[in-house]
């Protein structure tokens, strides 16, 4: 082979390599997909074929008669799969006996925005989260048979903001508004605890729930409730499961700029109990109450069975028949507001949100 032919062959090979090096790949790019108003089948189809970064736009009323709407695909860091209500938002309305929840987030890196979930006394939970990394923004859950919002199964790093739980517990009990983890006898991760945590509830409301407005179970940890409200609207919540504003058996909980009001039961605004769970570990440590309020309560403001917690002196109370502490309660350590340090972490919900 002549030198000239060799040079031509090498040049051709180089051109061939360069063409393939710069040839567009078959990577599927994120897309914005608009579901026809109220079309449940199309929404499920888009969820089944979603790619990281996709935005699925929903509107109108989705009448769900055949079970849970669940995720199928994981998003990715920086590429959340988003279900977004457009305009005045979307409503998911159960019209027949349903599954365990109306919407079930089973995969990581999701956002749910601007929707109303009406379990309509036909679904057990409104929103069930069993995955890590995400945002829930502007979501209302109402008329669930039991919990409105439930986060469990080691789910971590969530910011739940500007969201509302209303009329949870239509079955008559187990009607918490916002629930993290499970009681130890119900741990889905047995024999290990449910370590759901690094969760912030910001500007959230629990309205007229049958049981506790917020409930954080043994094993869960690093939870903040900021600028939120529990309003029982002068009803008497059911007492055998829990009739408190916020009930905590978690480790490292901060309640900041938050109000509990209008409870005609004898439950407390803020109740925390240290307990030894089935794994032999003691849970329910390090509660801090910063700039909290209690008003119009038949019970007391606080009950605690341990002293390793803090009540900052900027609390307020009015019309609290049971006084500051429930009879038999331990006394929290008093602390100056100037010494408060809000928990932060790297990940969703880990910013500074309180006063």
């Amino acid at each position: 082979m002549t030198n000239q032919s060799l040079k031509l062959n090498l040049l051709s090979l180089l051109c061939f390599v360069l063409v393939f090096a710069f040839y567009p790949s078959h990577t599927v790019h994120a897309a914005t997909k608009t579901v026809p108003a109220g079309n449940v089948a199309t929404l499920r189809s888009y969820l089944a074929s979603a790619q990281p970064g996709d935005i699925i736009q929903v509107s109108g009323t989705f009448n769900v008669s055949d079970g849970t709407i669940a995720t199928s695909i994981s998003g990715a860091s920086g590429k959340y799969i988003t279900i977004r209500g457009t305009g005045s938002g979307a409503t998911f309305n159960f019209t027949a006996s349903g599954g365990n929840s109306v919407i079930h987030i089973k995969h990581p890196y999701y956002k749910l925005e601007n929707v109303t979930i009406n379990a309509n006394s036909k679904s057990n939970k409104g929103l069930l989260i069993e995955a890590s990394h995400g945002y829930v923004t502007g979501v209302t859950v109402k008329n669930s048979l039991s919990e409105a919002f439930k986060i469990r199964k080691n789910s971590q790093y969530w910011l739940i903001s500007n969201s509302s739980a209303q009329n949870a517990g239509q079955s008559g009990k187990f009607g918490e508004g916002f629930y993290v983890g499970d009681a130890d006898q119900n741990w889905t991760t047995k024999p290990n605890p449910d370590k759901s945590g690094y969760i912030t509830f910001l500007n959230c409301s629990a309205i007229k729930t049958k049981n506790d407005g917020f409930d954080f179970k043994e094993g869960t940890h690093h939870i903040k409730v900021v600028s939120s409200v529990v309003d029982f609207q002068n009803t008497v919540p059911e007492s055998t499961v829990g009739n408190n504003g916020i009930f905590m058996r978690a480790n490292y909980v901060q309640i900041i700029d938050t109000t509990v009001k209008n409870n005609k039961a004898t439950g407390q605004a803020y109740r925390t109990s240290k307990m030894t769970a089935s794994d032999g570990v003691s849970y329910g440590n390090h509660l801090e109450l910063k700039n909290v309020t209690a008003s119009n309560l038949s019970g007391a403001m606080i009950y605690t069975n341990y002293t390793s917690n803090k009540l900052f002196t900027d609390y307020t109370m009015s019309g609290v028949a049971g006084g500051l502490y429930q009879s038999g309660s331990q006394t929290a350590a008093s602390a100056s507001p100037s010494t408060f340090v809000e928990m932060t972490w790297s990940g969703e919900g880990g910013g500074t949100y309180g006063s």
Side-chain angles (χ1 to χ4, degrees), residues 230-308:
V230 178
D231 185 355
F232 290 102
Q233 296 190 341
N234 295 311
T235 60
V236 181
E238 194 274 338
S239 62
T240 62
V241 175
N243 56 5
N244 310 284
I246 303 178
F247 182 40
M248 296 149 281
R249 291 204 291 260
N251 290 340
Y252 298 100
V253 175
Q254 291 182 332
I255 313 298
I256 307 167
D257 305 336
T258 289
T259 296
V260 177
K261 60 184 179 180
N262 302 325
N263 187 351
K264 292 304 179 184
T266 56
Q268 294 80 51
Y270 310 99
R271 182 181 181 94
T272 181
S273 296
K274 183 181 289 188
M275 65 162 288
T276 300
S278 58
D279 61 351
V281 177
S282 179
Y283 296 103
N285 302 286
H286 302 290
L287 165 69
E288 295 186 330
L289 300 171
K290 169 70 172 65
N291 192 31
V292 295
T293 298
S295 66
N296 191 26
L297 306 180
S298 295
M301 182 170 178
I302 297 170
Y303 173 85
T304 179
N305 68 353
Y306 67 96
T307 58
S308 60

Side-chain angles (χ1 to χ4, degrees), residues 44 46-52 68-77 79-83 103-112 127-136 151-158 348:
R44 286 192 171 121
Y46 286 169
L47 286 171
S49 61
Q51 297 292 324
T68 300
I69 294 173
T71 64
S72 300
I73 305 290
S74 297
S77 178
K79 294 182 179 180
Y80 299 87
I81 295 174
T82 301
I83 305 168
I103 295 179
H104 187 180
I105 298 178
K106 301 165 62 176
H107 298 81
Y109 295 106
Y110 267 78
K111 293 181 180 181
L112 180 65
L127 174 62
L128 176 60
I129 296 174
E130 294 183 326
S132 295
H133 298 290
Y135 297 88
V136 173
I151 305 173
R152 68 177 182 183
K153 220 170 188 178
N154 292 331
S155 299
Q156 299 188 345
Y157 302 107
W158 283 89
E348 297 87 346

Side-chain angles (χ1 to χ4, degrees), residues 10-309:
L10 289 173
L11 182 60
S12 297
L13 179 60
L14 178 60
C15 290
F16 184 83
V17 170
L18 289 173
V19 165
F20 273 84
F22 291 98
Y23 193 82
S25 68
H26 293 284
T27 301
V28 177
H29 296 287
T32 297
K33 303 176 181 179
T34 301
V35 179
N39 192 312
V40 176
T42 299
L43 173 58
R44 286 192 171 121
S45 174
Y46 286 169
L47 286 171
S49 61
Q51 297 292 324
D54 277 2
I55 298 172
I56 301 172
Q57 297 185 144
V58 291
S59 63
T61 298
F62 291 78
N63 291 313
V64 185
S65 61
D66 55 352
T68 300
I69 294 173
T71 64
S72 300
I73 305 290
S74 297
S77 178
K79 294 182 179 180
Y80 299 87
I81 295 174
T82 301
I83 305 168
R84 176 178 295 159
T86 58
S88 58
T91 296
F92 293 89
N93 181 41
F94 252 64
T95 61
S97 182
N100 196 29
S101 61
V102 177
I103 295 179
H104 187 180
I105 298 178
K106 301 165 62 176
H107 298 81
Y109 295 106
Y110 267 78
K111 293 181 180 181
L112 180 65
E113 303 173 353
N114 193 29
V115 302
T116 295
I117 298 172
N118 183 10
N120 201 26
S121 301
K122 299 180 185 299
S123 178
N124 194 30
K125 302 170 182 62
L127 174 62
L128 176 60
I129 296 174
E130 294 183 326
S132 295
H133 298 290
Y135 297 88
V136 173
T137 308
V139 172
T140 296
V141 175
K142 59 185 181 180
N143 302 321
S144 55
L145 288 172
S146 58
E147 309 99 317
F149 294 76
K150 178 123 185 203
I151 305 173
R152 68 177 182 183
K153 220 170 188 178
N154 292 331
S155 299
Q156 299 188 345
Y157 302 107
W158 283 89
L159 175 59
I160 316 295
S161 63
N162 301 301
S163 295
S164 180
Q166 302 174 9
N167 299 303
Q170 294 298 303
S171 65
K173 63 191 307 185
F174 303 108
E176 295 86 359
F178 299 87
Y179 194 109
V180 180
D182 269 318
D184 60 346
Q185 66 268 25
N186 298 322
W187 282 340
T188 58
T189 52
K190 276 186 174 181
N192 299 315
D194 185 328
K195 294 184 178 180
S196 297
Y198 300 112
I199 298 164
T200 295
F201 298 94
L202 175 64
N203 296 324
C204 290
S205 60
I207 308 298
K208 201 178 176 181
T209 58
K210 182 61 67 173
N211 296 112
D212 306 314
F214 293 80
D215 194 352
F216 309 141
K217 290 303 188 187
E218 52 272 21
T220 64
H221 60 94
H222 292 90
I223 301 170
K224 298 189 291 186
V225 180
V226 185
S227 300
S228 295
V229 62
V230 178
D231 185 355
F232 290 102
Q233 296 190 341
N234 295 311
T235 60
V236 181
E238 194 274 338
S239 62
T240 62
V241 175
N243 56 5
N244 310 284
I246 303 178
F247 182 40
M248 296 149 281
R249 291 204 291 260
N251 290 340
Y252 298 100
V253 175
Q254 291 182 332
I255 313 298
I256 307 167
D257 305 336
T258 289
T259 296
V260 177
K261 60 184 179 180
N262 302 325
N263 187 351
K264 292 304 179 184
T266 56
Q268 294 80 51
Y270 310 99
R271 182 181 181 94
T272 181
S273 296
K274 183 181 289 188
M275 65 162 288
T276 300
S278 58
D279 61 351
V281 177
S282 179
Y283 296 103
N285 302 286
H286 302 290
L287 165 69
E288 295 186 330
L289 300 171
K290 169 70 172 65
N291 192 31
V292 295
T293 298
S295 66
N296 191 26
L297 306 180
S298 295
M301 182 170 178
I302 297 170
Y303 173 85
T304 179
N305 68 353
Y306 67 96
T307 58
S308 60
N309 49 42

